[in-house]
Amino acid sequence: MGKIFTILISTILVNNYVFAQFLGICPFLGVSSKVETSTGMGVAVTFVVVLSSAITWCIQYGILDKLGLGYLQTIVFILVIASLVQFVEIVIKKMSPSLYTAMGVYLPLITTNCVVLGVAVLNIQENYNLIETIFSGFGASVGFSMALILMASLRERLDYAEVPEALKGVPIALISAGLMALAFSGFKGLI
């Protein structure tokens, strides 16, 4: 139980994939302009990461390792992730067309989101068992979602702040992201 708690705290705060490892920056900057869109993307990424973590773990240890096909890991993992993203895209399009439109091109980009593939590969490299893999995927996606929502909240507030003309838009977003990453580095002493 202690190791699972450590994995959760580590993936959410200490080794946050956005703020500490700088993975998933494209959707982080692209979708984080509104809290509603960020929340939707966070839920979609959470679903994909947790499920892909479990499925890729099973495929790695149940098929690839047993057949000596470890060199196919990246291709197989991307196929699993792409299939899950297609499923999520169909569900969101059916259940919430406005969210689907708001997420635009960033929803299919979950397939190439470095966080999703990174979590799947790192779970294998860390030799986590299936339960640890699921919690690692959940923690990583919660950390990613938290980063998205924090950034969206900040960007919404910055729309009403007096920002010098040269810093409006993307420049102030990048500065804010850098400051949040710096703040998250303070969690390094936790684990």
Side-chain angles (χ1 to χ4, degrees), residues 16-93:
N16 184 288
Y17 280 82
V18 175
F19 294 135
Q21 298 183 27
F22 305 108
L23 295 175
I25 299 298
C26 177
F28 169 72
L29 290 173
V31 179
S32 65
S33 58
K34 296 197 179 291
V35 172
E36 180 184 6
T37 309
S38 295
T39 304
M41 177 62 98
V43 170
V45 167
T46 299
F47 178 80
V48 171
V49 169
V50 172
L51 230 53
S52 68
S53 292
I55 292 169
T56 55
W57 186 92
C58 292
I59 290 172
Q60 180 72 38
Y61 292 112
I63 298 172
L64 297 179
D65 285 353
K66 287 188 177 179
L67 297 177
L69 300 173
Y71 60 90
L72 293 175
Q73 181 188 64
T74 304
I75 294 168
V76 171
F77 285 14
I78 289 173
L79 289 172
V80 167
I81 292 164
S83 301
L84 288 170
V85 169
Q86 286 299 307
F87 176 73
V88 168
E89 192 172 5
I90 290 167
V91 169
I92 290 176
K93 189 175 185 178

Side-chain angles (χ1 to χ4, degrees), residues 4 7-8 11 50 123 130-140:
I4 290 174
I7 289 170
L8 281 173
T11 53
V50 172
N123 287 335
L130 182 58
I131 301 299
E132 293 167 344
T133 294
I134 291 169
F135 277 96
S136 172
F138 179 73

